[in-house]
Amino acid sequence: MQELHDAPLAPLTTFRLGGPATRLVTATTDDEVVAAVREADGAGTPLLIIGGGSNLVIGDKGFDGTALRIATRGFEQTGTRLELAAGEVWTDAVARTVDAGLAGIECLAGIPGSAGATPIQNVGAYGQEVSSTITEVVAYDRSTGETVTLSNAECGLSYRHSRFKQHPDRFVVLRVRFELEDAGGLSAPVRYAETARVLGVEVGDRVPAATARETVLGLRAGKGMVLDPEDHDTWSAGSFFTNPILGAADYEAFLGRVRERLGEDVAPPAFPAGDGRTKTSAAWLIDKAGFTKGYGSGPARISTKHTLALTNRGEATTEDLLALAREVVAGVRDAFGVTLVNEPVTVGVSL
């Protein structure tokens, strides 16, 4: 294991923000990960797990404890079964499954971060979620000191949520197992209307998996959602807020606010979310509340390509970013009575 002290954390995050860690350990095997966690827990030292750093907002003061960077590698494919080490670069793994002619995660191309983060967030985009293909997650359980294998059901996967996210200090993901589909080189059925439109097919149709992946990469790049060191629109955590899910009463109140603000003929995006609930679009809310693409005059601004991404224009601090996030949350609440929830994990700070 590599060990550094007073180590900068900003370069390990896609925001490129945050102060140093008292101690930074980089683990390249599962055994090293477990050993580092046990050491920190045994000493009562605060522990921060870092994978690809694409979902972290670290405070300017940094982290007073041990930051553990998981840099494990492992891509094992047997037929339609796939096992990824937690430190595998996610977008590279997606490309390899497409090259192997497998379907199921091709529309999750271009998502920054590591494989170990995918079950934590139940990563999803363009009509796919990992919840539909994950079979098992191997994790170190800090509460028992044992390595456990959790089934899909035991992971508690739901929209941008999981058992791992619900209990963030309990499990450290080591490996993720998937069951993909051999559809003769074709994709899974296209489920997202925008993707189908660009592909020129109907929702439910299949296309070559490589074509689906390339199309999604193009769509993401157009929204600044594919990492590019030269493009400050990608110095972000992707979507900063989750799409709100509203109960029946809250949704009716929301519709009333929309009519009052925007007129009787305006209908917000709406998608059934089960149990009588409705999911609406955070990007739409942000835009209609007056926070358009490129909003802001400081070093932290809304992306010029997508209203759902908050970005570091190069000289921002974490406090600059949080000030912008708080302004957006307050503006959307005032306009529509809906409180946005941040998707990235905050370390040493909060909205």
Side-chain angles (χ1 to χ4, degrees):
M1 283 189 291
Q2 182 190 65
E3 181 175 329
L4 298 172
H5 294 270
D6 196 27
L9 296 181
L12 302 182
T13 74
T14 53
F15 264 125
R16 295 168 170 81
L17 294 176
T22 305
R23 176 172 175 256
L24 172 65
V25 174
T26 298
T28 57
T29 69
D30 290 355
D31 286 345
E32 288 182 352
V33 172
V34 171
V37 174
R38 283 177 171 164
E39 179 188 12
D41 288 349
T45 303
L47 181 67
L48 171 64
I49 305 296
I50 300 178
S54 61
N55 203 46
L56 282 178
V57 177
I58 299 173
D60 293 317
K61 293 182 179 180
F63 182 71
D64 185 12
T66 295
L68 171 59
R69 179 170 174 255
I70 298 180
T72 53
R73 292 291 181 266
F75 180 104
E76 299 177 21
Q77 179 207 331
T78 305
T80 56
R81 295 181 180 180
L82 174 67
E83 179 176 295
L84 298 177
E88 277 290 324
V89 177
W90 174 251
T91 194
D92 292 347
V94 172
R96 292 179 67 176
T97 66
V98 171
D99 289 343
L102 299 178
I105 57 175
E106 64 280 356
C107 290
L108 303 179
I111 295 176
S114 61
T118 60
I120 297 172
Q121 286 291 109
N122 183 20
V123 164
Y126 295 97
Q128 290 183 346
E129 285 185 335
V130 293
S131 59
S132 65
T133 51
I134 286 177
T135 57
E136 294 177 328
V137 173
V138 180
Y140 176 68
D141 185 343
R142 297 168 68 184
S143 69
T144 64
E146 298 178 350
T147 297
V148 297
T149 300
L150 303 174
S151 68
N152 180 297
E154 290 172 322
C155 292
L157 302 169
S158 59
Y159 174 65
R160 300 300 175 270
H161 197 64
S162 67
R163 184 179 181 184
F164 310 107
K165 193 171 182 179
Q166 184 177 1
H167 303 288
D169 296 324
R170 179 171 178 181
F171 296 102
V172 179
V173 175
L174 301 175
R175 298 190 167 264
V176 188
R177 295 171 180 156
F178 301 83
E179 179 66 41
L180 303 178
E181 178 186 7
D182 184 350
L186 295 179
S187 69
V190 176
R191 299 298 184 195
Y192 198 70
E194 182 183 18
T195 313
R197 177 180 56 78
V198 173
L199 287 165
V201 300
E202 298 295 323
V203 170
D205 288 349
R206 294 178 185 261
V207 299
T211 302
R213 174 180 173 271
E214 291 162 6
T215 298
V216 165
L217 285 173
L219 288 169
R220 291 185 65 87
K223 299 173 183 178
M225 298 292 186
V226 177
L227 292 180
D228 178 354
E230 303 303 317
D231 183 359
H232 284 281
D233 278 332
T234 73
W235 290 33
S236 74
S239 299
F240 195 87
F241 300 104
T242 58
N243 289 323
I245 297 177
L246 306 175
D250 288 338
Y251 184 65
E252 285 303 315
F254 165 59
L255 290 179
R257 297 287 287 271
V258 171
R259 289 190 292 267
E260 179 183 319
R261 183 180 179 88
L262 303 176
E264 294 290 334
D265 298 332
V266 175
F271 310 93
D275 298 324
R277 301 177 302 165
T278 301
K279 180 166 66 176
T280 191
S281 165
W284 186 91
L285 289 167
I286 293 167
D287 181 72
K288 298 305 180 185
F291 303 100
T292 53
K293 295 174 184 177
Y295 178 87
S297 58
R301 304 179 195 174
I302 290 178
S303 166
T304 65
K305 300 181 180 72
H306 199 299
T307 54
L308 201 48
L310 308 187
T311 67
N312 171 12
R313 308 316 293 184
E315 300 295 333
T317 65
T318 301
E319 277 306 310
D320 292 328
L321 176 76
L322 294 176
L324 175 62
R326 292 171 185 136
E327 183 182 2
V328 171
V329 169
V332 168
R333 186 190 299 117
D334 290 345
F336 299 111
V338 175
T339 300
L340 295 177
V341 176
N342 54 291
E343 186 169 331
V345 175
T346 56
V347 178
V349 292
S350 63
L351 290 190

